[in-house]
Amino acid sequence: MADLPLLQPLVLLGVLQKFPIADSLTWLNRVPTLNHPFPTAQWEVIRGSRAMGKPNVPNSEANVVPRLGRSSQSASFLYYREKKVFEPTTLHWIRQVAANSLADLGTINQAEAAVSRELADLNTRLDNLIEFTIWSALSGNLVIDTPEVQAEVDYKFLPSHKASVGTTWATATPAQIISDVQAFKRLIERDGRVKAREAFATEKTLTYIFQSFAGAGTTPGVLLSDRMKDSYFASGTIPGFLGLNWQPQTATYDATGASYTASPTDPGQETMFLGDDKLIIGNFTDNRPIELVVGPTADDDAPTGYTGKFTKTWKEADPSARQILLEMNFLPVITRPEQIVVVNDVAP
């Protein structure tokens, strides 16, 4: 008996590639992708320079100038590989629909929708994992600690770029917040040789900033324009505040991967991609400072040299079952760590 068209390899892969990325996944929607055909991710960490040139005299050999400070880094790819299993009764229903040339079109659509829905769930799980790893990379270290995999990638942030605030912003005065932000911006301009343009914080942190300035009297209050106040009340952000584009972060993930299944009405395992205690400031566009390196697919059924998300489906004989698998090799890399400052204690 024939299978549903959706279960054909090329059709299934085409469906996968058309799934949109959720708007809440900030970095997955903007980080450039670099296909890498080798089994290990490799990248260079490039440091800025403040050195001044030396004068010379005519008819003499040029002074030899060392290359920009850089170091070659490498790490194994993160390997995602998960699958869904359709039970024998579901498999029989799908096969009957596909084999009956006179089957009702609506029923066929229902069968295809069931398969597509499960593939979409696998894709969502992978997207959430990639987003998590990018946020971790931006904090300076990516740590994976599961029963199957224990790994850590050090992105070579300078100690000064893993900063702290003098006073938690829950109680800080406007002057203290201004001093902190200006210090972080100076670090980026001095070490990274670029201007800081964006700041990522949770709604809780942005509320602390707004309340500190809005309730502090006339002088600091003028730093919040009417446009900033309107934007804060409408969307929770403060555009242009202290020369930065503030990006509120609210997206969450379920670390256990099963809370909605185990307790649909009380998903208590959700965690924010960016914690309430963290603030990330930097320039994330100039010099392409962050990339998502995508490695070759490890599955033997994949086309030669294939990189990116790969999916396949096959049938088990006993018990009869249909399995759908999704896999990907990837790793976020930071090539310009001096363009980023992460603050780990901005709020309680």
Side-chain angles (χ1 to χ4, degrees):
M1 290 183 288
D3 279 323
L4 285 172
L6 182 59
L7 296 177
Q8 301 302 314
L10 291 179
V11 176
L12 194 66
L13 187 58
V15 170
L16 171 69
Q17 293 172 343
K18 290 183 178 180
F19 286 137
I21 300 173
D23 291 339
S24 60
L25 301 183
T26 300
W27 292 109
L28 195 54
N29 275 291
R30 64 180 284 184
V31 168
T33 298
L34 176 65
N35 290 326
H36 187 72
F38 305 105
T40 301
Q42 298 175 335
W43 70 99
E44 285 192 327
V45 175
I46 302 173
R47 305 292 184 185
S49 173
R50 295 182 297 278
M52 183 176 67
K54 297 178 180 179
N56 206 326
V57 296
N59 304 317
S60 65
E61 182 181 354
N63 296 322
V64 178
V65 178
R67 297 181 65 191
L68 284 173
R70 67 180 65 200
S71 60
S72 295
Q73 304 295 321
S74 64
S76 298
F77 285 108
L78 289 174
Y79 183 42
Y80 169 88
R81 185 176 174 91
E82 290 186 328
K83 65 183 181 181
K84 294 272 189 172
V85 179
F86 289 87
E87 297 179 351
T89 51
T90 304
L91 173 65
H92 181 73
W93 172 65
I94 291 176
R95 285 171 59 86
Q96 286 292 103
V97 170
N100 186 358
S101 60
L102 300 178
D104 178 69
L105 181 59
T107 307
I108 294 177
N109 289 340
Q110 290 179 27
E112 290 188 334
V115 176
S116 180
R117 186 165 54 244
E118 298 303 327
L119 180 61
D121 182 54
L122 285 177
N123 186 68
T124 297
R125 292 171 61 88
L126 174 53
D127 283 354
N128 286 339
L129 175 61
I130 297 172
E131 182 78 4
F132 166 79
T133 62
I134 297 174
W135 279 111
S136 298
L138 288 168
S139 70
N141 295 83
L142 169 58
V143 178
I144 302 293
D145 186 10
T146 68
E148 298 80 14
V149 178
Q150 295 81 44
E152 181 174 359
V153 180
D154 182 355
Y155 289 97
K156 306 301 180 182
F157 280 39
L158 295 175
S160 58
H161 285 247
K162 293 182 177 179
S164 298
V165 296
T167 302
T168 173
W169 286 5
T171 57
T173 65
Q176 290 171 323
I177 293 176
I178 291 172
S179 177
D180 287 335
V181 174
Q182 287 179 334
F184 304 147
K185 291 172 63 178
R186 282 195 298 270
L187 272 177
I188 293 165
E189 293 179 10
R190 185 194 70 187
D191 299 337
R193 312 301 285 175
V194 294
K195 287 188 176 295
R197 301 188 188 279
E198 294 178 272
F200 293 85
T202 65
E203 289 183 340
K204 184 176 181 180
T205 298
L206 288 170
T207 296
Y208 287 143
I209 296 173
F210 185 85
Q211 290 177 341
S212 177
F213 280 80
T218 304
T219 302
V222 300
L223 293 175
L224 291 178
S225 67
D226 290 340
R227 184 176 70 90
M228 293 179 187
K229 295 175 183 177
D230 291 343
S231 180
Y232 172 79
F233 287 117
S235 59
T237 188
I238 314 173
F241 178 66
L242 298 181
L244 296 170
N245 182 18
W246 293 80
Q247 308 275 4
Q249 299 299 304
T250 59
T252 61
Y253 64 94
D254 171 16
T256 66
S259 66
Y260 278 99
T261 302
S263 181
T265 59
D266 184 22
Q269 302 298 319
E270 291 190 337
T271 304
M272 299 183 72
F273 285 108
L274 180 67
D276 280 326
D277 58 335
K278 289 186 180 293
L279 172 71
I280 297 178
I281 292 180
N283 184 314
F284 307 97
T285 53
D286 295 355
N287 304 316
R288 197 169 164 133
I290 179 170
E291 297 175 332
L292 181 66
V293 181
V294 180
T297 299
D299 196 285
D300 190 55
D301 289 333
T304 302
Y306 183 88
T307 58
K309 294 178 180 178
F310 174 73
T311 186
K312 71 175 184 178
T313 178
W314 70 96
K315 293 178 286 188
E316 294 288 347
D318 185 19
S320 57
R322 165 69 67 176
Q323 301 193 31
I324 295 179
L325 175 142
L326 177 61
E327 77 155 45
M328 184 176 178
N329 264 330
F330 68 94
L331 186 73
V333 301
I334 307 289
T335 61
R336 302 271 185 165
E338 293 175 345
Q339 292 185 196
I340 303 166
V341 169
V342 57
V343 190
N344 293 309
D345 59 353
V346 69

